[in-house]
Structure formats: structure tokens, C-alpha cells
Amino acid sequence: MTDGATFTILIVDDEQHILFSSESLLRFAGFREIRTLDDSRRVLSLLEKETIDLIVLDLFMPYVSGRELLTLLSRDYPHIPVIVMTAADEVDIAVDCMKGGAFDYLVKPVENARLVSCVKRALEISSLKNQVSQLREHLLSNRIENPGAFSALVSVSPKMSAIFQYCEVIARSRQPVIINGETGTGKELIAKAIHTASGLKGKFVPVNAAGLDDNMFSDTLFGHKKGAFTGADQARAGLIAQASGGTLFLDEIGDLHEVSQVKLLRLLQEQEYYQVGSDMPLVSDARVIVATNRDLRELTATGKFRNDLYFRLCTHQVQLPPLRKRAEDISVLLNHFLEESAQELKKKKPSYPPELVTLLSLYDFPGNVREMKALIFDAVARHGSGVLSLERFREHIGIRSAPPASASLPVKGVVDGLRQALDRLPTVREVEEYLVDEAMKLANGNQGIAASLLGFTRQTLNKRLRKNRENLP
């Protein structure tokens, strides 16, 4: 999606009627910043003073020809795409211009739609190249220029830091973004951070697409005209209008109805939409960010999600890691949520036993950060005084992490490994010693947690450990 208001286009032609008609056409297509020159000698001096994003260039002009200018532009301003627009319909000249660095070669008279689409395509490709270059420089610098934009995402993980850097770069783009991640990983927080880092003046407007049929989606997003349907006593602007100049965030995009997908595709491609009950298109300049916990590629393969929409959305992609893949954040999040919950519940922040971090680190948190926050808030709400009790955490983790009765535990793999190492079937005592030793390693030496992992009482584990020490040579 190309936002014309953010780009400056220069049209160079010695014929005034060409300048006027081309400028009018591009302005009608949404491009606001357009410069025109009828004297090719002034092009280079203009480029020294102004930032130009694209040049539409005639070939045959007095003083300095378009071919000479193309050579100079390719040498001194290679980042600016140049579209040659000329009356010369000769293959040799076209090939020569393309080899000389032209983005495209258009023969006058040019169809309106062809010129507009060519300009949009050139700007999109140029914008993506600039973003890749900026991203490379930004990642190599290993810094975040606007850390305040990401303050809601508490993390010390290098994985998250790399994501923040990437998001900071793509925030400057107007291209769509897909945010993938499990439930509770913070997809909306990342979307808000991208919006904040973008510097857009408009609002951040979230919409949950799950459960919306096409009629509800259209009315919610695009609004309706008065009398569009029974009960539509007044006209209503949709949420897309509220997101003007800002960001529209569509959550659970994988659940979007097929007909609604077509409407979203049009919004992304043409920046246009129709209110319910209207046949007059409206223009939107909102940046679109979507999120899902589903595999969109798999959905496209089964025909449940449109290929063309997926490829339109996936210009920028953010994959958020689950909490179990960023264990270094456990203690940081624990302290953050203890502080937050204590403030909200008007309590003093409780201290906690060191083994709590180990206990939480052993849990896979299927609900990710959201689940951890809820667990800590509940524990603080139940807390009276002194050190925070582990009981609520053990109860939650014990219930949630217990495998179903039908699940096959990897006992055979353990026994087979010992059998290969010993070159014989291990004894019951050897298997027990191995399991006790592994549980103590996982629990960082904490007997209470190790006992929970093994299904022992703490007293039983203590006896096993004492017996193992006695059997040492």
C-alpha cells in the first residue's frame, strides 16, 4: 500500500500540457507532493535542495536531453527511481534506457491507469529497498532509538530485543504488517509499539475479526449510510474513519470471513472502501497491522485464506516467541507483575522465595505472558503477609502441567539410553538414581520442586538422596 501523501514526485517535460495532465492525474490518484519542471537544466539543482522520491522524465528536451539526465541521475542519485515517458516507440531506445538505470519505459500517450500503477509500483519497490537498507544499518548498530515505544513489553531477552529493533525500522513504512504468535504473547502490544514508533498523528484503532460475519465486519469497519438497512436511522462512520492518519489493527485475521477478505484486499491495494448502502468509494490513509495465532500459509493451502491477501499482508512479518522460549524473562516479569499487582490491589509488594523463579521456569506457560500475569495477580490477591506462598503456584502448575492419562511418557527412551550406556538392562536402583539426579538438576537443587517433578513427597525424596549418598563409593 503506497500512501501518496508521503512521497514527492518530480515530472520533467518541456511540454506544458503534459506536465499539467500528468500532475492532475497523479494528484487525483492521491499523490499530494508533485513538482514539475519544463527546463531540464534545473533538475540537478532542485535535487540538491529538495528530497525527491521518484522522477518521471521525458527523453527529448532542449538543452539537456533526458538520456543525458538519466546517466547523471543513475550515477549521483541511484536511490531515486526514474520512469522514462516519451513518444519514441523504439525498442533500441527502450533497451538503452533500461540498461541505463530507468525503472520503466512508457510510450506517450500513456494510459492513465498504466502511469498511476507504474508510479505506485516504483515507489513501493524503492520504499522496500530503503527499509531493507535501514534495517541492516539499524540491526548492525544493535540499539533501539525509541525505547519508550516498547516500554509496555517487559523483556531482557535478546530475541525480543531483535524484534524491537526490526519493529522500529518497519514502523516508518506504510506497508502492512503481520504479527504471528501464540495466545498471550503480546501481539497487540507490539502493534501499539509499532504505531507509537511510527510517529503517526492518528489513533491506534483495534478490531477483533474473530466471530464477525461479513455484514458485521463491513458495518464495524466501514460504517453505513442512513437507511442502508432496517434500523439504520443515522449514518455512522466506521472504525476505519477513526483510524484516519493512524493505525488500524485487525486481530485474529485468520478467522476473517472470505467475503470480508476481498474487501480488505481492496482496502490494501486501492486504499478505498465502500460504506454499507453506498456506491461511492471513500479513501483511507490508515496503516494496517494484522495479527493471528494461526498459520496463514496453511490456511491458504487449504483455501480458507486468500493467497493474494496473504501476499499483500506479508510485506513485514513479526514472529513473537512464546514465554517458554525466553526463560531469561521469567524473573523480570515476576518482579514487574508483583509490583503492578501490589499497586493495583493497594498492597505492599511481597517478597518471594528464590525457588519460585525455578518453579516458574519449569512450567511451559501455554497462555504465555498473559497466563503468568493472571497467576501472579491471583497469588498476590490471596497473599496476607510475609513471604509469598508457593502453594498457589504449585497448585496451578501441578494441575496444568500434568499429562493426560493416555499420554505416553518417555520412560522407554530413558531406559533405552541407560541400557546402551551400560550395555545391559539397568537395575531399578540405577534408573531411580538417574531420575532423582536429573530432577535435582532441573530444580537447581531445590528439593521441594524436584519432589514435585518426580511425584514424591519431600520426605521421600530426602530419603532417596540420603540413600544415594550412602551408596557412593
Side-chain angles (χ1 to χ4, degrees):
M1 181 170 59
T2 302
D3 179 17
T6 62
F7 296 103
T8 302
I9 300 170
L10 172 63
I11 307 172
V12 186
D13 200 302
D14 61 323
E15 297 182 69
Q16 284 293 336
H17 73 279
I18 295 292
L19 293 177
F20 177 77
S21 61
S22 299
E23 179 182 3
S24 300
L25 172 64
L26 292 176
R27 285 191 184 281
F28 184 76
F31 297 97
R32 301 287 175 260
E33 298 297 324
I34 299 177
R35 306 286 183 271
T36 60
L37 284 178
D38 60 2
D39 187 341
S40 56
R41 294 173 296 183
R42 296 168 53 199
V43 172
L44 296 179
S45 60
L46 177 67
L47 292 177
E48 290 175 1
K49 294 181 290 186
E50 293 192 42
T51 300
I52 301 296
D53 298 293
L54 180 139
I55 299 173
V56 179
L57 180 67
D58 184 25
L59 274 191
F60 302 107
M61 295 180 288
Y63 310 119
V64 181
S65 72
R67 188 65 190 86
E68 291 176 76
L69 264 180
L70 180 61
T71 301
L72 295 172
L73 293 171
S74 297
R75 184 191 69 189
D76 299 333
Y77 299 92
H79 61 287
I80 303 178
V82 179
I83 297 173
V84 172
M85 189 169 69
T86 180
D89 188 7
E90 297 181 28
V91 174
D92 290 344
I93 296 177
V95 171
D96 186 46
C97 287
M98 297 301 285
K99 286 183 177 179
F103 175 82
D104 208 342
Y105 186 94
L106 304 179
V107 179
K108 297 176 184 176
V110 183
E111 291 182 3
N112 292 348
R114 175 81 192 282
L115 176 58
V116 172
S117 66
C118 185
V119 167
K120 284 185 176 181
R121 190 171 70 254
L123 287 172
E124 285 183 356
I125 293 174
S126 176
S127 178
L128 288 175
K129 285 181 179 178
N130 290 335
Q131 289 162 32
V132 169
S133 176
Q134 291 171 8
L135 178 60
R136 186 184 297 114
E137 293 176 8
H138 198 66
L139 293 178
L140 288 174
S141 69
N142 196 30
R143 73 178 189 278
I144 299 172
E145 294 176 0
N146 185 9
F150 302 90
S151 58
L153 292 133
V154 180
S155 177
V156 294
S157 166
K159 293 177 182 177
M160 293 299 289
S161 180
I163 288 172
F164 296 163
Q165 286 179 275
Y166 175 70
C167 288
E168 193 167 52
V169 173
I170 65 173
R172 302 161 192 166
S173 163
R174 298 306 300 273
Q175 299 294 320
V177 182
I178 290 181
I179 303 173
N180 289 96
E182 295 178 6
T183 298
T185 49
K187 296 186 288 295
E188 184 167 343
L189 290 178
I190 280 288
K192 285 182 180 177
I194 293 172
H195 170 73
T196 302
S198 72
L200 292 173
K201 305 296 184 186
K203 294 194 299 184
F204 175 86
V205 180
V207 182
N208 193 317
L212 294 181
D213 61 24
D214 180 60
N215 291 332
M216 192 177 295
F217 174 82
S218 298
D219 189 34
T220 301
L221 203 63
F222 305 137
H224 61 257
K225 302 293 286 183
K226 182 179 179 180
F229 50 84
T230 303
D233 300 326
Q234 294 183 344
R236 186 179 70 82
L239 294 180
I240 187 72
Q242 292 184 27
S244 177
T247 301
L248 178 71
F249 174 60
L250 295 172
D251 201 3
E252 307 295 351
I253 195 68
D255 297 323
L256 192 61
H257 191 276
E258 186 176 352
V259 179
S260 301
Q261 292 178 30
V262 177
K263 296 174 182 177
L264 178 59
L265 179 63
R266 179 177 179 80
L267 177 67
L268 293 173
Q269 288 185 160
E270 307 298 334
Q271 296 173 260
E272 291 181 350
Y273 66 95
Y274 291 89
Q275 288 189 307
V276 178
S278 172
D279 57 2
M280 290 293 292
L282 297 177
V283 177
S284 169
D285 62 354
R287 202 262 183 90
V288 176
I289 300 178
V290 304
T292 181
N293 58 10
R294 305 179 68 182
D295 187 339
L296 290 187
R297 287 191 180 184
E298 185 178 314
L299 292 178
T300 58
T302 57
K304 295 179 180 177
F305 200 84
R306 292 180 64 95
N307 263 307
D308 46 6
L309 177 56
Y310 171 72
F311 289 120
R312 193 72 192 180
L313 287 169
C314 71
T315 305
H316 302 304
Q317 299 185 55
V318 177
Q319 181 69 51
L320 290 180
L323 185 55
R324 60 184 173 276
K325 296 289 182 66
R326 35 184 279 225
E328 61 270 34
D329 282 340
I330 293 292
S331 61
V332 180
L333 288 167
L334 172 60
N335 280 287
H336 173 74
F337 290 138
L338 284 174
E339 183 77 40
E340 189 178 318
S341 58
Q343 287 182 2
E344 188 168 315
L345 296 168
K346 304 292 191 295
K347 289 187 170 189
K348 181 182 178 182
K349 179 185 174 182
S351 58
Y352 58 88
E355 55 264 39
L356 178 57
V357 176
T358 304
L359 182 65
L360 294 174
S361 299
L362 292 171
Y363 183 49
D364 63 0
F365 280 104
N368 292 289
V369 179
R370 184 184 294 135
E371 181 185 3
M372 183 177 181
K373 178 179 179 178
L375 177 58
I376 292 171
F377 266 65
D378 184 55
V380 173
R382 296 167 184 265
H383 175 67
S385 61
V387 178
L388 193 66
S389 171
L390 291 179
E391 188 58 35
R392 177 70 187 107
F393 297 94
R394 285 201 181 104
E395 179 184 295
H396 181 86
I397 291 171
I399 294 172
R400 295 296 302 273
S401 60
S406 60
S408 59
L409 295 172
V411 175
K412 186 177 185 301
V414 173
V415 175
D416 286 346
L418 288 172
R419 186 175 183 177
Q420 290 179 8
L422 299 172
D423 199 25
R424 59 178 172 78
L425 186 70
T427 64
V428 172
R429 176 173 291 176
E430 286 169 337
V431 173
E432 184 183 279
E433 288 177 357
Y434 172 79
L435 292 175
V436 167
D437 185 52
E438 286 300 304
M440 288 297 290
K441 287 178 184 176
L442 280 172
N444 289 332
N446 185 281
Q447 291 187 19
I449 296 173
S452 298
L453 291 172
L454 291 166
F456 290 168
T457 63
R458 186 165 183 162
Q459 292 75 13
T460 301
L461 176 62
N462 195 272
K463 289 179 182 178
R464 297 288 199 282
L465 290 170
R466 199 163 51 241
K467 186 184 296 184
N468 290 349
R469 284 195 292 271
E470 291 171 358
N471 290 329
L472 289 174

